[in-house]
Amino acid sequence: MTDVAELLRSKGIKATAQRVAIYQALASQGHVSAEDVFDSLFNKMPMLSLATVYTTLRRFCEVGLADEMVVSNDRIYFDINTDFHHHFVCESCGSIYDIDIPFCSILKSKEIQGLKIKRFSGIFYGICKRCRS
Amino acid sequence: MTDVAELLRSKGIKATAQRVAIYQALASQGHVSAEDVFDSLFNKMPMLSLATVYTTLRRFCEVGLADEMVVSNDRIYFDINTDFHHHFVCESCGSIYDIDIPFCSILKSKEIQGLKIKRFSGIFYGICKRCRS
DNA sequence: ACAATTTGTCAAGAATTATTTTTAAGTAAA
DNA sequence: TTTACTTAAAAATAATTCTTGACAAATTGT
């Protein structure tokens, strides 16, 4: 079997053809919405349903294979990179990039003012290079 | 007239009774969803429509009286505080707090790696004091 | 082959936006 | 000060869009 199938099983979930394909789409694109995945797989798997994509991506998050990103209210995005990092979102075309900058250590705090911190989301909004021209 | 009416006019928008009430609800609660505002005004203004609350809050954002906050995919929040600051969101009860911590200067950058930055959103997710007990 | 998961279909839910008509605000003239 | 006028805004629906739920049928891994 493929590496991906092994990976899925190692996380304790079944390696179906749909899941492998969805994982590969996620991995190749980095940041995806459910619809992105659905569209990109439509040629290969015409029977795939959007509901399956949703449940699968959520399942990936549960087992630590992806993270949910909240960048706008109109769509959920999923991120293959589960390490601590920031994002840039283009307000014109919607494209999303990872941003690697030196982080304030405080952003990794586990507790601030008595509040228990589990994670931090840092998003820059602006205009990407392509949209500037 | 009230201070609020003057404020609205100074931003170039008409000071209607609905807008004054919506602004006051926003100002008193700090972070609100459209539904929060609608519910809190229902006794005073039973004729107020939810669509009006939505358009009004968006209008406030356009003229710089509020900021939109994207903290989860299931609801838009609006923030009376338009200064640069971070947020904390309780994953248990949904309450939102402002977080005042020393910021990395890089988070205020206007340009990173050729990307034009207009704003930054920093959100800590965790469990608030009340929900810990 | 069997037990448990997962998929696909279909439909329901919920938040937000669009549209159209009616109403009210701001403004300048009588 | 009142009156008329122009334009923005509110109300009332409708419509969209994203996301989730329920359940029968199919598939996985043991």
Side-chain angles (χ1 to χ4, degrees), chain A residues 37 47 49:
Chain A
V37 172
M47 302 305 295
S49 95

Side-chain angles (χ1 to χ4, degrees), chain A residues 70 73 76 91 100-101 104 113-127 129 132, chain B residues 70 72-73 76 88 91 100 104 106 113-114 116-127 129 132:
Chain A
V70 179
N73 67 298
I76 299 174
E91 291 180 327
D100 283 319
I101 56 172
C104 295
Q113 297 164 17
L115 303 163
K116 178 167 179 52
I117 310 294
K118 297 167 91 173
R119 60 198 169 86
F120 177 78
S121 160
I123 306 175
F124 295 92
Y125 294 90
I127 306 296
K129 289 180 190 176
R132 286 176 89 167
Chain B
V70 179
S72 72
N73 65 298
I76 298 175
F88 170 86
E91 290 181 327
D100 283 319
C104 294
I106 197 165
Q113 297 164 17
K116 177 167 180 52
I117 310 294
K118 297 167 92 172
R119 59 197 170 87
F120 177 78
S121 161
I123 305 176
F124 294 93
Y125 293 90
I127 305 295
K129 290 180 190 177
R132 287 175 88 166

Side-chain angles (χ1 to χ4, degrees), chain A residues 69-118:
Chain A
M69 312 171 48
V70 179
V71 302
S72 72
N73 67 298
D74 61 352
R75 200 173 257 75
I76 299 174
Y77 281 87
F78 297 87
D79 188 352
I80 189 73
N81 180 0
T82 58
D83 295 334
F84 185 93
H85 65 293
H86 289 190
H87 289 114
F88 170 86
V89 177
C90 178
E91 291 180 327
S92 174
C93 67
S95 58
I96 301 170
Y97 303 107
D98 285 349
I99 295 286
D100 283 319
I101 56 172
F103 298 113
C104 295
S105 58
I106 196 165
L107 299 183
K108 292 183 174 175
S109 302
K110 291 303 168 201
E111 176 155 346
I112 295 178
Q113 297 164 17
L115 303 163
K116 178 167 179 52
I117 310 294
K118 297 167 91 173

Side-chain angles (χ1 to χ4, degrees), chain B residues 4-94:
Chain B
V4 174
E6 276 306 323
L7 176 62
L8 298 180
R9 283 188 213 102
S10 77
K11 295 293 184 179
I13 63 174
K14 288 187 181 176
T16 65
Q18 289 89 337
R19 284 183 174 172
V20 170
I22 291 169
Y23 184 88
Q24 288 170 335
L26 170 61
S28 70
Q29 298 177 59
H31 311 103
V32 298
S33 67
E35 191 120 15
D36 290 337
V37 172
F38 182 75
D39 291 347
S40 71
L41 294 179
F42 187 72
N43 292 328
K44 299 271 183 190
M45 308 184 91
M47 301 306 294
L48 182 67
S49 96
L50 184 55
T52 298
V53 177
Y54 271 104
T55 59
T56 299
L57 289 170
R58 267 192 297 159
R59 200 92 177 76
F60 286 173
C61 292
E62 285 171 19
V63 300
L65 287 173
D67 274 340
E68 206 176 299
M69 313 170 47
V70 179
V71 302
S72 72
N73 65 298
D74 61 352
R75 197 174 258 77
I76 298 175
Y77 281 88
F78 296 87
D79 189 352
I80 188 72
N81 180 0
T82 58
D83 295 335
F84 186 91
H85 65 291
H86 289 188
H87 288 114
F88 170 86
V89 177
C90 178
E91 290 181 327
S92 174
C93 67

